[in-house]
Amino acid sequence: MIKGYHHLSNAYRTTNYLLNIPLVNDNSLEQRFRITLKNKQLSLSQVLAMIDKEDLTREKFHTLSFEIYHADEVGNLLFGAWKRTTKWNGLQGEDTVEEMSRYTSQIKRDLQLAVPFLKETLGEDIKYAVPALYRSKNR
């Protein structure tokens, strides 16, 4: 449980860091990406609070886990599109976007490493909360 908490906490801190980076090009892809980051941040903070209080209601934990992983999955797609657009169009902030790319990868890795904890808590219902690519046995 402690290990899973640690990975979720790392994902929360990294998400906060990304949200504190000033707007780069303020285009629609960046705005949508930041919305998914905010949603992920909120869900992560609620999950961490539940774990801190040892108040893990399975239904609420399932819902929040789904929101975290869904926001990460959608956010990664939006970020990829934003990164390509920034590079292809020669927009300002290409270095910042490249740096952000490393942090989005770290969040995904932390969420993958937290899966055993979620499986322990959710059991077989994990397949309804966490996408298969995060649960892959090869990770």
Side-chain angles (χ1 to χ4, degrees), residues 70-127:
H70 179 73
D72 193 63
E73 197 171 38
V74 171
N76 285 332
L77 293 172
L78 289 168
F79 183 79
W82 175 39
K83 182 179 173 182
R84 284 187 302 278
T85 300
T86 301
K87 185 175 182 178
W88 292 345
N89 294 332
L91 300 175
Q92 70 179 31
E94 192 173 337
D95 293 338
T96 304
V97 173
E98 193 59 44
E99 176 192 353
M100 291 174 77
S101 179
R102 289 190 295 276
Y103 289 106
T104 59
S105 296
Q106 182 58 47
I107 292 171
K108 184 173 184 175
R109 185 74 181 136
D110 279 321
L111 292 178
Q112 288 170 333
L113 292 170
V115 166
F117 165 66
L118 273 71
K119 184 165 178 60
E120 179 183 311
T121 307
L122 297 173
E124 288 302 311
D125 286 344
I126 192 171
K127 62 186 171 190

Side-chain angles (χ1 to χ4, degrees), residues 43-59:
S43 297
L44 279 166
S45 69
Q46 290 175 351
V47 161
L48 293 171
M50 285 175 66
I51 296 169
D52 283 341
K53 294 177 188 172
E54 297 181 9
D55 181 29
L56 285 177
T57 55
R58 187 179 169 125
E59 186 177 314

Side-chain angles (χ1 to χ4, degrees), residues 23 25-36 78-79 81-82 85 91:
L23 289 173
N25 351 79
D26 198 20
N27 60 25
S28 62
L29 288 170
E30 180 178 8
Q31 292 168 0
R32 291 171 60 199
F33 169 67
R34 288 180 182 271
I35 289 169
T36 63
L78 289 168
F79 183 79
W82 175 39
T85 300
L91 300 175

